[in-house]
Structures are given as structure tokens and as C-alpha cells.
């Protein structure tokens, strides 16, 4: 059992050791110095699982629940790195399951001097092993060095629990030590101005029934703006593909609110911001699409016969090239004036929205729950109607359109209906919707992917390995279209529970 | 699943306790989780490791499995080495064992769950031949028998052969040897010609081993470079070799 305490306020390693030695029977030994660097994803995926990734002495170590899980030799990473860049092995596998495609970012580098302070009993036997450490964060690129409060880590020797408890009591009540509220890493992260546990892209804005729509909507949109802003730098620096993804999801949600709850906004402002956010979606689209293609490329290979798989290499190269170009365009756009002004003006508008009736539209003062209930009901009914009209002869666009509506409905649920009417109530509805969206998504994505492949053919033909690549691409495109067809066949079965009487009833009752 | 090694000799003062403590310490130093159970009511090993000779409920409770045996274990100053202490009530352990249906299996039963936790379990036995020793014979995988090369040693070993009938196997070795004494050299030669199971390593008579009682530490903790420590290290290596064979 290990206990961590903070040394008295203002203490140094030496003064803390002296305090303990002065009051208790201890044996001190010089300890080591440590130089440790810590890493986690932007959104704290390791932290969320009680895991720590730390580099020390030429090795990267993964610790979970206090137990070492895997380690690998590695030079100290000074910049963000992807799990895929690590050498194959247990460490990479363990990290992949936790971090996925997210990059591991340096969180803090902590240098600490240590001293062993062991508590002895009257036989001069060690009964508690103590380690005093004086940590300091070292600058790592753009950080500031800072001393953190010294810590005392206590480990009871087996069979001497009573002694450990007594020591703890004495340290806390008489010698000025304090319980450690958070881990050393969290303290270091906070000292560097960061947020322990990372930056979340979740919205989670609490809303109250009866709240005026303008205020509620402004709160949600402000949070979405925050998500856009916090993910901007990672997007521009191309740290990992999730930054752009989270940014686009926040933009998409913003657009959904502007569209579904349009009556809340003054028409002129509404038109401007709708147009500009549509532009943001458009300029960031190609880069994201190519990210997805590249992430899924191994899955594509698996779809074709083994002898075609390596023939697809020129396709991957071409996609990578296109992605580089798309990233350049994206950077130009997001670093430009128009985008900068958009964010600033939008922030200003949202600040004014709750209090100024001139910034509001006709629905601004209505209670948010009423408005949301109305909208959800309307979108849902339209989806039921449109979905029922889909038959074997309907064009694929009909399903694409239904999917778009489904996205808007889902955002209404997630951003508003959940917080207003309770997650318990809303979850079954979201689940049914999600099941439908999955098949609609597959249907549209496969069509888009096949079309994308078709667009590459001219350029592919000109490249080394071109003819073989074309054959393989043809085989892949066929598989994708087959899957699109398969999704179409599943549509009816997935739509049925969505449009069923029980669901209609649930929608009616849930939003009362 | 661990190996249980018991230091045993009907004679006292031959180096059972210093052997048990030093070998257990070396085992733990080597990275193997190790337990030493001091079965001798004199509590020599317990004293050397600075632990109080107390076990809750005493011998009776431990043997009955009513005391949580694991709860009585104490960590020593050496990480990886734990001690199940002696208790003065162990002087009546024979009587306690007699209450059980199969006294010869009793210690093995008590040790059962602990074997999962430790790679090596050492039993430091009291000098006697009794129910306790029988129970030790039933629990041990190997018997470490320190022998002072004086005239009656071969008789001791022969007697043990008779009692054990091969199980557990013996690992006899010469302990507290004074090479200046002719009788020691002669007895060593004699016994080596009679028996093939004697270990090669010889542990010398040493002032350092006696100092263990003052230092209250295993040899390797305070006299690592000395002759005696070197001998115990060599002994442990040789034993590991025998275990692996």
C-alpha cells in the first residue's frame, strides 16, 4: 500500500527530511535523481483509464493502475508522436488499444531529487519505506521551469500496517504534512497551464427547462466555438487526424443549430454565419475525406483478393499526395483573415445574443424545451415520412438526404434533448436512430469512396505500376459498390424500428 | 509454484539458522519472492531479521488454519524476503500437531496457499526429531543438512537416510569447517567417499557469521566481500543447479 503526502508548505527536501528525522526514528539514505517525461493524448485518453506513459532512462514505460504493463527502449520523444511510429511490440499494442489514432503529446518533464527516509521500530527494523522527492518541472520547448511542492511517498512493509497508519497520522496532524489532492503529474500539468485529464471535445452544456432559447442556444454554441478554437492549433500543425475531425464535428453541430433553431437568430446574422460556416465545412472537407481514406486503406486492401493488394500501393501514394495538397489549402484558409474574423465576430455575437433582442429572431424568448420538442418532433416526422417513401426504385440521393436529416436529429438529441429531458429518456431514441444512421452512413460512404477511386483513374494510369493499380482499383470499387448495395438492402429492416409506433410514442412522451 | 527447502539437522549449533537466513536473503536478492518460516521456538532467524517473535494465536491457530497465516507474515528489510516469525508457543508444536489426523501432512497443508505467492519457501527447523520434523519432511521438497565434519556426522546422515527413505531428497553440505583441523579434513574426505549427494561448496567457520548475531542482518547486507558470504553465494548457486537438474 502506498500513500502520498505533501511536505509542509515552503519545505525543501532537506528541511522536510530534517523535520521527520527530528521527530521519529528514521534511517536516511541518499536517493537518486530522476528525469521523467510524461505523455498523453490531447483529450487525456490515458488519464481517463488511470494510465501513465512515462519516459525515463532510455525507456518508455506504460503504467496502469499503478502496475507496469509494458516498456520499450526509445529515445526521449520531444514532440508529439503516433502510436504507429513505435516499434511493434507489447507497448505499441497496449497503447494502440487506448490511444487509437491520437498522437501522444509531451505533457510535462519532471526532474526530481530523492532521498530515502525509512521509519524504524524499536528493533531498528524498517517498518515503513519512505521516499522524499523534490520535483521541478523543466522547460521543454515552450514551458517555464517551476518547483513543485516536495512529496513523501510511503510504502508499508508487509505486516506493519499499524505503523504506517500511525506514521501517517503523526505526519498529518503534528508535522505539517498534507494529503496529496492530486497526482504529481496532474500538479505539473496544472503548473504548466494545462488541464489535467486533457481537453475534451464533448459538449455537455447543462440546460434548464423554461430557459429562454437565446440564452440556451448561446451557451451551447459558445461551447462549440471553444471546441473549434482548442482544436485549431492541432489541426494546423497536423498533429493527428482527430483534431480536424473534432473541429469539423463542432462546425457541423454549429450549422445544425443554426439550421434547426433558426428562429432564435436575427435573420441577417443568421444568413452571414450560415454561409461562412458552410465555407469552413467546405474548405476542411477534402483534407478530412483523404484522412479517412488513408486511415481505412488497410481495410480497403482487405476487401480485394490478396494478389491485388500490393498493386494498390500507387493509390495510397496518390491519396497521400492529394492529402498534402489539401492540407496546404486548409492551412491557407484557416490561417486567413476570413476565418479569423469569423471566429471573432461569432464570439461577439454569441456574447450579445442572450441579452439583446435585436440579435434575436422571433423564437429567441421562447422556452428552449418547447422549441426543441417542436423541432425534434418535426424532424422526426419528416424522416418517417421521407423514409416510408423510399422504395426499391428510389435514387440513392433519397437515402443520402435521409441521412442528413438523421444527423440534425441526432445533434438535437445530443445537444439539447438529452440535457433538457434527461439522458435516460433520450438514450433509447438515440440508439434506434444510430442503428439507422449506421446503415445510411455505410450506404453513402461506400458510394463516395467508389466515386473517389473513379476520380483517380486518369492520374493513376500515368504512374509507374498504373495499369496494375487500375485493375486493383476496379476490383476495390466493385467491392465498395457491392457493400453499398448490401447497405441498401438492410435499410428497410433498420428503418422499421425507427418508424415504429413504439418509437413514435416514445418521441411524443419523452419531450413533454 | 514454489520450492520448499528446509534446513534440518537433529543436532543444534551446526549452522541451520545462518544457512536459512543467508540463503533466503540471496534468493530474494536474486529477484525471487521468498518466504522464510522460522519454526524454531528459539526464534534465531526471527531475531536476526529484527522481527518480533510473535504470531497471533500461536502455533495452534496457525496449524489449524484459523489464523490468517498470510496476515502474520512480515516483510523484512530486504525487499522480496518475507518472514513468518517464530513464536514461543512453537515449543508445543508437537502437541498441537498431535491433535490432527495426519500430523505429517499438516505443515504442507498450511503452506499450500503460500506456495502460489513465493518462488522459494525456506523452513528453519528446530534441532530435534519429532512430529514437527516429520511434518517438515512431509512439506519440504528438499532437505538442506548442514554438517560439521566431526566424527559423528556420518552417523547423523545415515540415521536420516533411514528415516526418510529417499523422500524428501537430501542436500547435505559441510558447515563451520576449520581447514586447519586435521579431523575436519579427514572426515570430509571420508564422507565424500561414502556419499554422492554431498554438495561441493564448503562453508567455513567464520567470525563474520557469528557477527550476524550482533549486526542482526544477513551476511550479504554487511559483509558481502567476506569469505563466508562468498561461500553462501556459491552454495546457493550450487543448490539452484541441483534444483534445476
Amino acid at each position: 500500500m502506498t500513500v502520498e503526502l505533501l511536505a509542509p508548505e515552503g519545505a525543501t527536501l532537506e528541511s522536510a527530511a530534517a523535520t521527520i528525522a527530528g521527530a521519529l526514528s528514521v534511517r536516511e539514505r541518499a536517493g537518486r535523481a530522476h528525469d521523467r517525461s510524461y505523455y498523453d493524448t490531447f483529450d487525456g485518453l490515458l488519464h481517463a483509464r488511470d494510465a501513465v506513459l512515462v519516459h525515463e532512462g532510455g525507456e518508455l514505460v506504460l503504467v496502469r493502475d499503478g502496475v507496469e504493463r509494458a516498456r520499450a527502449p526509445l529515445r526521449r520523444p520531444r514532440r508529439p508522436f503516433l502510436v504507429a511510429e513505435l516499434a511493434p511490440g507489447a507497448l505499441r499494442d497496449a497503447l494502440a488499444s487506448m490511444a487509437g489514432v491520437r498522437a501522444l503529446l509531451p505533457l510535462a518533464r519532471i526532474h526530481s531529487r530523492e532521498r530515502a527516509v525509512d521509519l524504524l521500530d524499536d528493533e531498528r527494523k524498517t517498518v515503513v519505506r519512505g521516499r522524499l522527492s523534490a520535483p521541478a518541472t523543466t522547460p521543454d520547448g515552450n514551458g517555464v521551469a517551476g518547483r513543485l511542492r516536495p512529496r513523501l511517498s510511503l510504502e508499508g512493509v508487509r505486516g506493519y500496517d499499524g505503523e504506517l497508519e500511525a506514521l501517517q497520522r503523526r505526519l498529518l496532524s503534528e508535522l505539517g504534512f498534507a494529503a496529496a489532492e492530486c497526482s504529481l503529474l496532474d500538479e505539473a500539468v496544472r503548473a504548466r497551464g494545462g488541464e489535467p485529464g486533457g481537453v475534451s471535445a464533448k459538449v455537455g452544456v447543462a440546460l434548464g427547462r423554461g430557459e429562454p432559447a437565446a440564452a440556451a442556444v448561446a451557451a451551447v454554441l459558445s461551447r462549440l466555438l471553444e471546441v473549434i478554437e482548442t482544436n485549431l492549433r492541432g489541426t494546423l500543425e497536423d498533429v493527428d487526424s482527430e483534431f480536424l475531425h473534432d473541429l469539423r464535428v463542432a462546425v457541423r453541430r454549429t450549422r445544425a443549430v443554426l439550421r434547426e433553431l433558426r428562429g432564435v437568430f436575427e435573420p441577417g446574422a443568421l444568413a452571414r454565419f450560415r454561409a461562412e460556416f458552410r465555407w469552413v465545412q467546405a474548405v476542411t472537407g477534402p483534407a478530412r475525406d483523404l484522412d479517412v481514406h488513408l486511415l481505412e486503406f488497410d481495410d480497403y486492401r482487405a476487401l480485394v483478393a490478396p494478389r491485388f493488394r500490393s498493386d494498390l500501393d500507387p493509390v495510397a501514394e496518390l491519396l497521400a499526395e492529394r492529402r498534402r495538397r489539401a492540407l496546404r489549402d486548409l492551412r491557407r484558409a484557416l490561417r486567413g483573415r476570413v476565418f479569423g474574423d469569423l471566429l471573432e465576430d461569432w464570439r461577439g455575437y454569441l456574447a450579445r445574443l442572450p441579452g439583446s433582442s435585436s440579435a434575436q429572431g422571433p423564437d429567441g424568448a421562447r422556452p428552449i424545451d418547447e422549441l426543441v420538442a417542436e423541432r425534434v418532433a418535426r424532424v422526426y416526422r419528416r424522416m418517417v415520412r421521407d423514409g416510408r417513401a423510399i422504395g426499391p426504385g428510389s435514387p440513392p440521393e433519397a437515402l443520402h438526404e435521409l441521412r442528413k436529416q438523421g444527423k440534425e436529429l441526432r445533434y438535437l438529441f445530443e445537444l439539447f434533448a438529452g440535457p433538457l429531458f434527461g439522458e435516460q429518456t433520450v438514450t433509447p431514441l438515440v440508439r434506434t436512430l444510430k442503428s439507422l444512421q449506421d446503415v445510411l452512413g455505410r450506404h453513402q460512404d461506400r458510394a463516395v469512396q467508389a466515386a473517389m477511386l473513379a476520380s483517380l483513374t486518369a492520374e493513376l494510369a500515368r504512374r509507374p505500376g498504373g495499369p496494375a493499380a487500375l485493375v486493383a482499383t476496379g476490383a476495390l470499387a466493385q467491392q465498395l459498390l457491392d457493400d453499398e448495395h448490401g447497405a441498401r438492402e438492410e435499410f428497410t429492416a433498420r428503418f422499421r424500428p425507427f418508424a415504429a409506433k413504439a418509437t413514435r410514442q416514445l418521441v411524443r412522451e419523452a419531450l413533454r | 509454484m514454489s520450492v520448499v527447502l528446509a534446513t534440518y539437522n537433529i543436532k543444534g549449533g551446526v549452522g541451520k539458522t545462518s544457512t536459512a537466513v543467508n540463503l533466503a536473503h540471496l534468493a530474494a536478492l536474486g529477484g525471487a519472492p521468498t518466504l522464510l518460516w522460522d519454526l524454531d521456538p528459539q526464534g534465531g532467524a526471527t531475531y536476526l531479521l529484527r522481527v518480533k517473535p510473535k504470531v497471533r494465536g500461536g502455533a495452534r491457530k496457525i496449524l489449524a488454519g484459523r489464523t490468517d497465516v498470510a496476515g502474520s507474515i512480515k516483510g523484512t528489510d530486504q525487499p522480496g524476503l518475507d518472514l513468518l516469525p517464530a513464536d514461543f508457543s512453537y515449543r508445543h508444536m508437537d502437541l498441537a500437531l498431535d491433535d490432527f489426523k495426519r500430523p505429517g501432512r499438516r505443515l504442507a497443508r498450511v503452506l499450500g496457499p503460500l506456495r502460489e505467492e513465493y518462488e522459494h519457501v525456506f523452513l528453519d527447523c528446530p534441532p530435534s526429531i519429532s512430529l514437527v520434523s516429520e511434518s517438515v519432511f512431509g512439506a519440504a521438497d528438499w532437505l538442506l543438512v548442514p554438517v560439521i565434519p566431526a566424527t559423528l556426522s556420518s552417523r547423523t546422515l545415515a540415521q536420516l537416510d533411514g528415516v526418510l527413505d529417499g523422500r524428501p531428497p537430501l542436500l547435505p553440505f559441510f558447515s563451520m569447517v576449520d581447514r586447519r583441523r586435521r579431523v575436519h579434513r579427514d572426515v570430509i574426505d571420508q564422507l565424500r567417499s561414502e556419499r554422492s549427494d554431498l554438495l561441493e561448496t564448503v562453508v567455513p567457520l567464520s567470525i563474520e557469521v557469528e557477527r550476524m548475531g550482533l549486526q542482526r542482518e544477513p551476511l550479504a547486507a554487511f559483509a558481502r566481500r567476506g569469505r563466508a558470504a562468498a561461500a553462501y553465494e556459491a552454495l546457493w548457486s550450487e543448490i539452484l543447479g541441483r534444483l534445476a537438474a
Side-chain angles (χ1 to χ4, degrees):
Chain A
M1 213 191 79
T2 314
V3 169
E4 216 167 69
L5 299 176
L6 297 172
E9 283 271 14
T12 61
L13 188 65
E14 289 71 26
S15 72
T19 302
I20 300 172
L24 300 155
S25 178
V26 295
R27 182 186 293 130
E28 286 185 65
R29 276 173 296 125
R32 302 176 39 200
H34 290 275
D35 180 8
R36 296 178 173 122
S37 299
Y38 296 85
Y39 305 85
D40 201 345
T41 63
F42 185 68
D43 52 350
L45 290 174
L46 300 187
H47 191 275
R49 288 171 172 75
D50 280 318
V52 173
L53 184 64
V54 54
H55 181 275
E56 184 178 8
E59 288 194 305
L60 191 60
V61 183
L62 178 67
V63 178
R64 194 164 172 188
D65 292 323
V67 177
E68 181 181 314
R69 303 292 167 153
R71 62 167 61 211
L74 189 71
R75 285 188 50 190
R76 190 176 74 89
R78 291 156 192 270
R79 275 172 320 193
F81 63 96
L82 296 173
V83 178
E85 288 165 24
L86 295 173
L91 178 62
R92 187 167 94 170
D93 293 341
L95 275 175
S97 72
M98 285 193 272
V101 299
R102 297 231 69 161
L104 289 153
L105 317 178
L107 283 183
R109 185 176 180 187
I110 302 177
H111 185 91
S112 64
R113 285 182 308 128
E114 283 188 356
R115 202 191 211 119
V117 177
D118 297 333
L119 181 72
L120 307 174
D121 69 2
D122 48 13
E123 307 276 9
R124 294 197 61 79
K125 182 196 185 306
T126 304
V127 294
V128 179
R129 293 198 182 95
R131 219 179 37 225
L132 262 175
S133 60
T137 52
T138 53
D140 203 8
N142 44 351
V144 188
R147 274 217 281 267
L148 302 169
R149 202 159 151 188
R151 288 186 174 227
L152 175 63
S153 163
L154 298 173
E155 192 189 325
V157 172
R158 183 170 184 172
Y160 294 95
D161 296 340
E163 282 79 354
L164 174 61
E165 277 169 37
L167 174 62
Q168 229 188 309
R169 262 194 312 260
R170 188 111 187 253
L171 288 168
L172 290 172
S173 64
E174 288 171 38
L175 298 176
F177 283 73
E181 299 294 321
C182 65
S183 72
L184 177 61
L185 176 58
D186 285 354
E187 197 187 323
V189 167
R190 213 172 270 131
R192 289 187 80 199
E195 199 44 57
V199 178
S200 167
K202 292 202 192 15
V203 178
V205 173
L207 301 171
R209 293 210 202 197
E211 211 181 321
V217 161
V220 171
L221 288 170
S222 295
R223 171 65 190 133
L224 288 169
L225 175 58
E226 205 173 63
V227 174
I228 293 171
E229 288 175 327
T230 52
N231 280 282
L232 184 56
R233 185 161 160 200
T235 300
L236 292 171
E237 293 178 6
D238 196 26
V239 177
D240 65 45
S241 58
E242 287 298 282
F243 285 97
L244 176 57
H245 176 59
D246 286 342
L247 186 145
R248 295 193 82 234
V249 169
V251 171
R252 203 179 300 133
R253 285 170 161 167
T254 299
R255 293 182 64 205
V257 175
L258 287 173
R259 188 186 186 169
E260 294 300 328
L261 301 178
R262 65 191 80 122
V264 174
F265 309 94
E266 180 272 316
L270 178 68
R272 182 226 162 153
F273 290 118
R274 280 189 76 176
E276 292 200 11
F277 279 112
R278 181 168 52 238
W279 166 76
V280 174
Q281 202 71 356
V283 296
T284 56
R288 175 60 188 165
D289 290 343
L290 288 158
D291 272 347
V292 173
H293 290 311
L294 288 166
L295 284 170
E296 300 210 336
F297 208 78
D298 285 339
D299 294 340
Y300 291 164
R301 282 194 213 262
L303 284 176
V304 301
R307 66 185 149 119
F308 289 141
R309 282 172 198 168
S310 52
D311 293 338
L312 286 173
D313 289 350
V315 180
E317 282 159 28
L318 186 48
L319 288 175
E321 268 171 48
R322 288 204 172 176
R323 199 230 166 227
R324 280 193 288 276
R325 256 179 277 147
L327 180 62
R328 252 199 330 261
D329 295 341
L330 176 152
R331 278 173 170 155
R332 201 178 307 126
L334 296 187
R335 283 183 173 138
R337 199 52 141 349
V338 175
F339 186 67
D341 287 350
L342 166 61
L343 293 186
E344 208 180 302
D345 293 348
W346 183 230
R347 192 179 314 124
Y349 176 74
L350 291 177
R352 282 198 323 272
L353 181 59
S356 150
S357 53
S358 62
Q360 295 176 19
D363 288 338
R366 286 184 64 192
I368 183 69
D369 46 307
E370 245 179 58
L371 193 55
V372 167
E374 220 175 72
R375 270 334 278 191
V376 165
R378 192 171 315 175
V379 176
Y380 174 75
R381 275 198 309 264
R382 192 175 353 123
M383 278 187 75
V384 169
R385 191 190 63 219
D386 290 353
R388 278 200 184 128
I390 290 174
S394 308
E397 285 72 27
L399 280 87
H400 302 172
E401 192 49 46
L402 193 65
R403 183 192 185 195
K404 245 198 314 214
Q405 293 172 39
K407 279 191 181 169
E408 309 256 299
L409 184 60
R410 174 148 161 225
Y411 293 147
L412 281 175
F413 278 138
E414 287 174 346
L415 301 174
F416 295 100
L420 283 169
F421 302 107
E423 302 294 342
Q424 304 271 61
T425 318
V426 166
T427 304
L429 292 167
V430 172
R431 207 180 305 133
T432 318
L433 173 61
K434 191 169 184 306
S435 170
L436 175 62
Q437 289 294 96
D438 281 348
V439 80
L440 289 174
R442 210 170 91 226
H443 175 264
Q444 183 169 20
D445 288 347
R446 289 320 198 195
V448 166
Q449 286 159 0
M452 181 276 302
L453 289 174
S455 77
L456 299 177
T457 48
E459 214 179 316
L460 261 185
R462 292 196 287 270
R463 300 196 155 210
L470 287 174
V471 173
T473 303
L476 177 57
Q478 184 61 54
Q479 292 297 318
L480 294 173
L481 292 174
D482 284 350
D483 199 20
E484 179 197 9
H485 187 73
R488 177 73 186 253
E489 309 251 281
E490 282 178 55
F491 167 72
T492 316
R494 298 281 185 108
F495 182 71
R496 199 174 302 126
F498 178 74
K501 186 168 182 183
T503 311
R504 297 204 300 277
Q505 198 145 332
L506 211 59
V507 171
R508 255 200 309 276
E509 285 170 8
L511 310 179
R512 222 172 294 152
Chain B
M1 201 45 175
S2 58
V3 176
V4 180
L5 303 130
T7 50
Y8 178 78
N9 193 316
I10 189 175
K11 289 204 170 92
V14 298
K16 288 188 294 305
T17 295
S18 33
T19 299
V21 169
N22 285 319
L23 293 186
H25 181 242
L26 288 169
L29 262 180
T34 302
L35 177 69
L36 171 56
W37 190 354
D38 186 356
L39 288 166
D40 191 340
Q42 281 182 93
T46 305
Y47 179 79
L48 289 178
L49 294 170
R50 297 180 182 263
V51 176
K52 297 196 177 24
K54 187 90 195 75
V55 163
R56 215 162 19 133
R60 263 184 207 285
K61 285 268 169 70
I62 272 207
L63 292 175
R66 267 207 285 280
T67 281
D68 166 27
V69 175
S72 299
I73 292 175
K74 302 288 184 198
T76 65
D77 283 10
Q78 171 59 43
L81 177 59
D82 289 347
L83 175 75
L84 189 48
D87 185 288
F88 201 43
S89 67
Y90 287 6
R91 70 194 188 282
H92 296 314
M93 202 181 271
D94 275 4
L95 294 172
L97 279 170
D98 207 18
D99 285 345
F100 291 94
K101 209 171 288 185
R102 294 174 69 200
R105 297 296 310 158
R106 199 63 217 159
L107 275 181
R109 286 282 296 276
V110 173
L111 279 177
L114 295 174
R115 295 187 70 159
E116 304 298 313
E117 249 192 272
Y118 297 99
E119 229 173 284
H120 301 105
V121 176
F122 286 82
L123 303 175
D124 187 18
C125 303
S128 69
I129 186 121
S130 60
L131 269 181
V132 174
S133 14
E134 268 183 50
S135 209
V136 167
F137 300 154
D141 298 316
W142 298 86
L143 230 52
L144 294 171
V145 188
V147 167
I148 300 183
T151 40
L152 292 177
S153 334
S154 88
R155 191 165 172 277
T156 307
L157 286 174
Q159 190 178 50
L160 207 45
D161 286 336
V163 168
L164 293 178
D165 197 20
R167 288 216 69 255
L170 297 182
L171 286 171
F173 64 97
F174 293 110
S175 169
M176 297 172 69
V177 172
D178 185 351
R179 283 221 153 265
R180 296 165 307 178
R181 296 176 59 187
R182 175 88 186 263
V183 64
H184 277 204
R185 295 200 307 271
D186 287 349
V187 172
I188 289 175
D189 290 341
Q190 171 78 10
L191 273 174
R192 285 210 192 277
S193 70
E194 283 172 19
R195 303 183 68 97
S196 58
D197 55 1
L198 284 157
L199 293 171
E200 292 297 318
T201 314
V202 163
V203 179
L205 185 66
S206 157
I207 193 96
E208 290 157 346
V209 175
E210 290 178 39
R211 272 187 58 215
M212 277 173 72
L214 286 171
Q215 287 285 141
R216 295 180 75 188
E217 279 183 294
L219 264 184
F222 71 94
R224 196 156 199 181
R225 300 190 202 284
R227 275 176 58 230
Y232 279 112
E233 263 182 69
L235 185 68
W236 181 233
S237 272
E238 198 183 344
I239 291 170
L240 284 174
R242 287 280 191 104
L243 260 45

